[in-house]
Amino acid sequence: MTARPTRPWADWTHVLKVDPDRELVSDDTFDDLFGCGTDAILLGGTTGVTESKVERILEACAAAEVPVYQEPSNLDNVVDAPRVDGYLVPTVLNAGDPFWLVGAHKESMRRYPDHPWERTTTEAYIVLNPDATVATYTDADCDQTPADVAAYARTAEHLFGQEIVYLEYSGTLGDSAVLEAASDALEDATLFYGGGIGSYESARQMATLADVVVVGDLLHEEGVDAVERTVEGARDGQREND
Ligand code: 1GP
């Protein structure tokens, strides 16, 4: 068996988050999606994701060369399949409900003792859009200054050993001062940014500060061509970042 790379996300610039509970726009196919230039596909959504919906997409991914990761949103939709290159499991640092910080994780250890833990990593989420479903779901305290977010980022990296810190503005474009504070605070951890990326320019802008930009809604609302423009923007932003 070929060894899987360690920390592959350190080489990513753009991730496409596919919500198994949502459809592609008409005319788009999964083959279009796999050819859009993204570095990885992340299967995840906050609500309505079931095992069978994830499996349907994994079947479509069978021949795709792009890496496919699952980001399970609850205990009921973890799919253990060889096609899944890895599992990125959110832990929400600013969750009001500790279930989303550690409780769900403990239950997953109880329920899935034989899960492929060797290809499973946590992502330290900081949820920052109070109007997002994920904020309601986790009862997140989104009232965070740039200094707070920097402190969370350092906590994640230095105390909790997190390899990925994820600023989550799902549904809206985030505050670049907050993103910059997180970027400055981190040493080796990879900074993911997600939320409201809808154009070449917004992807470029966020990729000048984040290591990886995550695009979600755009795929389901405007389609693969629009996502391709964000891949170009992210690559250009990353070059400015280097
Ligand atoms: C959502 O961070 C991702 O979890 C991407 O956000 O859907 O707003 O692009 P959008």
Side-chain angles (χ1 to χ4, degrees):
M1 189 174 135
T2 317
R4 293 175 194 270
T6 55
R7 290 199 187 206
W9 38 86
D11 296 324
W12 297 348
T13 301
H14 184 285
V15 165
L16 180 58
K17 194 178 283 194
V18 180
D19 187 339
D21 191 41
R22 297 176 73 182
E23 299 299 325
L24 300 181
V25 301
S26 58
D27 296 344
D28 276 357
T29 65
F30 281 105
D31 282 342
D32 297 331
L33 188 155
F34 302 138
C36 78
T38 193
D39 294 305
I41 288 173
L42 189 53
L43 304 180
T46 305
T47 57
V49 179
T50 62
E51 220 175 303
S52 62
K53 288 175 188 170
V54 175
E55 281 165 350
R56 180 180 66 95
I57 299 185
L58 285 176
E59 276 169 32
C61 294
E65 289 186 6
V66 62
V68 177
Y69 284 70
Q70 192 192 0
E71 185 181 61
S73 53
N74 66 53
L75 292 171
D76 298 319
N77 57 35
V78 182
V79 174
D80 181 0
R83 179 60 188 95
V84 180
D85 290 84
Y87 300 83
L88 299 182
V89 179
T91 175
V92 180
L93 300 188
N94 61 330
D97 180 348
F99 183 76
W100 300 111
L101 182 63
V102 70
H105 315 75
K106 180 199 117 194
E107 289 309 317
S108 70
M109 290 287 169
R110 190 201 307 276
R111 192 184 298 187
Y112 304 107
D114 300 323
H115 179 78
W117 297 111
E118 72 287 353
R119 51 189 162 107
T120 302
T121 306
T122 45
E123 304 162 303
Y125 262 64
I126 307 164
V127 172
L128 293 164
N129 174 12
D131 298 325
T133 307
V134 63
T136 311
Y137 202 61
T138 62
D139 192 22
D141 176 2
C142 301
D143 187 15
Q144 306 289 342
T145 65
D148 289 326
V149 171
Y152 267 129
R154 286 193 201 97
T155 304
E157 178 169 26
H158 298 301
L159 296 185
F160 294 160
Q162 297 293 287
E163 296 176 12
I164 297 171
V165 173
Y166 191 136
L167 294 203
E168 173 63 293
Y169 278 93
S170 181
T172 192
L173 202 60
D175 180 342
S176 48
V178 170
L179 186 52
E180 188 168 6
S183 172
D184 288 347
L186 292 176
E187 291 179 10
D188 295 325
T190 302
L191 180 59
F192 282 31
Y193 167 82
I197 291 180
S199 63
Y200 167 91
E201 186 49 32
S202 53
R204 189 199 63 77
Q205 183 195 345
M206 291 313 187
T208 60
L209 296 167
D211 299 311
V212 176
V213 298
V214 183
V215 172
D217 283 349
L218 189 68
L219 172 71
H220 301 286
E221 291 169 0
E222 294 186 28
V224 173
D225 289 350
V227 171
E228 277 180 3
R229 292 192 282 278
T230 68
V231 174
E232 290 164 21
R235 303 243 179 274
D236 288 347
Q238 192 77 73
R239 273 191 281 276
E240 292 174 43
N241 193 359
D242 287 341

